[in-house]
Amino acid sequence: MKESNKLAYCTQYSMCVAGGFIAAYAILNHADFLASAQTANLINIALCITGSNWMELCLRLIAVLVYMVGLSVPVLVAKYTHINVKMLCIFVEISMIILLYFFTKRINTIIALYPVFFMTSMQWNSFPGVDGFASSSIFSTNNLRQFTTSYVEYRCSKDREYLKKTKFFGGVLLSYHAGVIFSYYAYRHFAMKGVIFCLIPLFTGMLFILMENGFLKIIKKEIAVARRVIATGRS
């Protein structure tokens, strides 16, 4: 595997850790609400309509809009700018994590999850997979399906492409649930403030992106040039 591919895989795994962490944060702190997906929220919107709970309906509709905006941003940025979508996503997520750090239990659960809706949906579209493997880094049902079916295909055909796919999705599942466990211990010791530890996989992902794009090599070259200039000036 090429070095750039290895770094791309490492980036995806790092973001899966972040995805698992923030998904568990929402569940642990906000009434078992999986804010990374909208299925439960959309079901609750339908129930709010039948029950005429208009205040909750409005809050949940706003949540859907926030999620949709998060999905749209990577598409628009890629289409109309030259900004690195992945780096932008991580900067946005870091901002959302810092915002969540100052939230308390007194905030309405749905409102408190607006930053999570935005950051997870943006992450989903910014990190859609690696090497032709479409993979979500914010929830794991489809990843489990891909892991299972690719393994069965490999056992049936012995095609090593399916083995490669099995290993990738196995890594995704392990990374995601490592993030869940990490989030649990952060919550156990620091409650809602533990969300700040999600910065670790985010900064790790950022480092891999920098390495993948050769930014670190450029920085090293610039440092080397500066040292030679300084050395020449002294001599």
Side-chain angles (χ1 to χ4, degrees), residues 83-94 122 126-127 205-207 209-210 213 215:
I83 297 171
N84 185 306
V85 173
K86 292 183 177 181
M87 288 295 286
L88 174 64
C89 176
I90 292 179
F91 278 118
V92 169
E93 292 200 55
I94 290 170
M122 189 171 177
S126 300
F127 297 87
M206 183 184 292
L207 178 62
I209 292 170
L210 290 172
N213 286 278
F215 290 158

Short mmCIF file of all heavy atoms in Angstrom, two decimals, residues 83-94 122 126-127 205-207 209-210 213 215:
data_model
loop_
_atom_site.label_atom_id
_atom_site.label_comp_id
_atom_site.label_asym_id
_atom_site.label_seq_id
_atom_site.Cartn_x
_atom_site.Cartn_y
_atom_site.Cartn_z
N ILE A 83 -10.81 25.44 -0.86
CA ILE A 83 -10.53 25.10 0.54
C ILE A 83 -10.52 23.58 0.71
O ILE A 83 -11.36 22.87 0.13
CB ILE A 83 -11.58 25.74 1.47
CG1 ILE A 83 -11.52 27.26 1.39
CG2 ILE A 83 -11.39 25.28 2.91
CD1 ILE A 83 -12.66 27.97 2.11
N ASN A 84 -9.59 23.09 1.50
CA ASN A 84 -9.54 21.66 1.83
C ASN A 84 -10.73 21.34 2.74
O ASN A 84 -10.79 21.77 3.88
CB ASN A 84 -8.22 21.33 2.52
CG ASN A 84 -8.06 19.84 2.77
OD1 ASN A 84 -8.90 19.19 3.37
ND2 ASN A 84 -6.94 19.30 2.33
N VAL A 85 -11.69 20.58 2.21
CA VAL A 85 -12.94 20.30 2.93
C VAL A 85 -12.67 19.56 4.24
O VAL A 85 -13.30 19.84 5.26
CB VAL A 85 -13.90 19.48 2.04
CG1 VAL A 85 -15.12 19.04 2.84
CG2 VAL A 85 -14.33 20.30 0.83
N LYS A 86 -11.74 18.64 4.21
CA LYS A 86 -11.46 17.84 5.41
C LYS A 86 -10.88 18.71 6.52
O LYS A 86 -11.28 18.59 7.69
CB LYS A 86 -10.50 16.69 5.07
CG LYS A 86 -11.13 15.64 4.16
CD LYS A 86 -10.17 14.50 3.90
CE LYS A 86 -10.85 13.42 3.05
NZ LYS A 86 -9.94 12.27 2.80
N MET A 87 -9.95 19.58 6.16
CA MET A 87 -9.37 20.47 7.17
C MET A 87 -10.41 21.43 7.71
O MET A 87 -10.48 21.69 8.92
CB MET A 87 -8.19 21.25 6.57
CG MET A 87 -6.97 20.40 6.31
SD MET A 87 -6.21 19.75 7.84
CE MET A 87 -5.45 21.24 8.47
N LEU A 88 -11.24 21.96 6.82
CA LEU A 88 -12.31 22.87 7.26
C LEU A 88 -13.23 22.16 8.23
O LEU A 88 -13.61 22.73 9.26
CB LEU A 88 -13.10 23.36 6.04
CG LEU A 88 -14.34 24.21 6.37
CD1 LEU A 88 -13.94 25.50 7.06
CD2 LEU A 88 -15.15 24.49 5.10
N CYS A 89 -13.60 20.92 7.90
CA CYS A 89 -14.48 20.15 8.78
C CYS A 89 -13.89 20.00 10.17
O CYS A 89 -14.58 20.19 11.17
CB CYS A 89 -14.74 18.77 8.16
SG CYS A 89 -15.73 17.69 9.20
N ILE A 90 -12.60 19.67 10.23
CA ILE A 90 -11.97 19.49 11.54
C ILE A 90 -11.93 20.80 12.32
O ILE A 90 -12.20 20.82 13.53
CB ILE A 90 -10.56 18.89 11.38
CG1 ILE A 90 -10.67 17.45 10.87
CG2 ILE A 90 -9.80 18.93 12.70
CD1 ILE A 90 -9.35 16.76 10.66
N PHE A 91 -11.65 21.90 11.65
CA PHE A 91 -11.66 23.20 12.34
C PHE A 91 -13.06 23.51 12.88
O PHE A 91 -13.21 24.01 14.00
CB PHE A 91 -11.21 24.31 11.39
CG PHE A 91 -9.72 24.43 11.26
CD1 PHE A 91 -9.09 24.24 10.04
CD2 PHE A 91 -8.93 24.73 12.37
CE1 PHE A 91 -7.71 24.34 9.91
CE2 PHE A 91 -7.55 24.83 12.26
CZ PHE A 91 -6.94 24.64 11.03
N VAL A 92 -14.09 23.21 12.09
CA VAL A 92 -15.47 23.42 12.54
C VAL A 92 -15.76 22.53 13.75
O VAL A 92 -16.36 22.97 14.74
CB VAL A 92 -16.47 23.13 11.41
CG1 VAL A 92 -17.91 23.07 11.93
CG2 VAL A 92 -16.36 24.19 10.32
N GLU A 93 -15.34 21.28 13.68
CA GLU A 93 -15.60 20.35 14.79
C GLU A 93 -14.90 20.79 16.06
O GLU A 93 -15.45 20.68 17.16
CB GLU A 93 -15.19 18.94 14.39
CG GLU A 93 -16.07 18.35 13.31
CD GLU A 93 -15.98 16.85 13.24
OE1 GLU A 93 -16.22 16.19 14.27
OE2 GLU A 93 -15.68 16.32 12.16
N ILE A 94 -13.68 21.27 15.92
CA ILE A 94 -12.96 21.77 17.10
C ILE A 94 -13.74 22.92 17.73
O ILE A 94 -13.90 22.98 18.96
CB ILE A 94 -11.54 22.22 16.71
CG1 ILE A 94 -10.68 20.99 16.36
CG2 ILE A 94 -10.89 23.02 17.84
CD1 ILE A 94 -9.34 21.33 15.74
N MET A 122 -21.65 17.28 8.91
CA MET A 122 -20.56 17.81 8.10
C MET A 122 -19.43 16.79 7.98
O MET A 122 -18.84 16.62 6.91
CB MET A 122 -20.04 19.11 8.72
CG MET A 122 -19.04 19.84 7.83
SD MET A 122 -18.64 21.49 8.44
CE MET A 122 -17.41 21.97 7.23
N SER A 126 -17.73 15.05 4.65
CA SER A 126 -16.33 15.44 4.44
C SER A 126 -15.40 14.24 4.43
O SER A 126 -14.33 14.27 3.80
CB SER A 126 -15.89 16.42 5.54
OG SER A 126 -16.68 17.59 5.54
N PHE A 127 -15.79 13.18 5.12
CA PHE A 127 -14.97 11.95 5.20
C PHE A 127 -15.84 10.76 4.77
O PHE A 127 -16.23 9.94 5.60
CB PHE A 127 -14.44 11.75 6.61
CG PHE A 127 -13.51 12.83 7.07
CD1 PHE A 127 -14.00 13.99 7.67
CD2 PHE A 127 -12.14 12.71 6.89
CE1 PHE A 127 -13.14 15.00 8.09
CE2 PHE A 127 -11.27 13.73 7.31
CZ PHE A 127 -11.78 14.87 7.90
N GLY A 205 -6.39 13.39 13.42
CA GLY A 205 -6.84 13.37 12.03
C GLY A 205 -6.24 14.52 11.24
O GLY A 205 -5.83 14.35 10.09
N MET A 206 -6.16 15.69 11.86
CA MET A 206 -5.56 16.85 11.20
C MET A 206 -4.10 16.59 10.86
O MET A 206 -3.64 16.94 9.76
CB MET A 206 -5.68 18.08 12.11
CG MET A 206 -5.15 19.36 11.49
SD MET A 206 -5.20 20.76 12.63
CE MET A 206 -6.97 21.00 12.79
N LEU A 207 -3.38 15.98 11.77
CA LEU A 207 -1.97 15.67 11.53
C LEU A 207 -1.81 14.72 10.34
O LEU A 207 -0.94 14.94 9.48
CB LEU A 207 -1.36 15.05 12.79
CG LEU A 207 0.12 14.63 12.68
CD1 LEU A 207 1.01 15.82 12.40
CD2 LEU A 207 0.56 13.92 13.97
N ILE A 209 -3.85 14.38 7.84
CA ILE A 209 -4.17 15.12 6.61
C ILE A 209 -2.98 15.96 6.16
O ILE A 209 -2.65 16.01 4.97
CB ILE A 209 -5.41 16.01 6.82
CG1 ILE A 209 -6.66 15.15 7.03
CG2 ILE A 209 -5.63 16.93 5.61
CD1 ILE A 209 -7.87 15.92 7.48
N LEU A 210 -2.34 16.61 7.12
CA LEU A 210 -1.15 17.41 6.80
C LEU A 210 -0.04 16.54 6.22
O LEU A 210 0.61 16.92 5.24
CB LEU A 210 -0.65 18.12 8.06
CG LEU A 210 -1.53 19.26 8.60
CD1 LEU A 210 -1.01 19.74 9.94
CD2 LEU A 210 -1.58 20.42 7.61
N ASN A 213 -0.92 15.42 2.63
CA ASN A 213 -0.79 16.47 1.63
C ASN A 213 0.63 17.02 1.52
O ASN A 213 0.88 17.97 0.78
CB ASN A 213 -1.75 17.62 1.95
CG ASN A 213 -3.19 17.26 1.64
OD1 ASN A 213 -3.63 17.34 0.50
ND2 ASN A 213 -3.92 16.82 2.64
N PHE A 215 2.39 18.66 3.65
CA PHE A 215 2.63 19.95 4.30
C PHE A 215 3.82 19.88 5.25
O PHE A 215 4.59 20.83 5.36
CB PHE A 215 1.38 20.42 5.05
CG PHE A 215 0.26 20.83 4.15
CD1 PHE A 215 -1.05 20.84 4.61
CD2 PHE A 215 0.50 21.21 2.84
CE1 PHE A 215 -2.10 21.20 3.77
CE2 PHE A 215 -0.53 21.59 2.00
CZ PHE A 215 -1.84 21.59 2.47
#
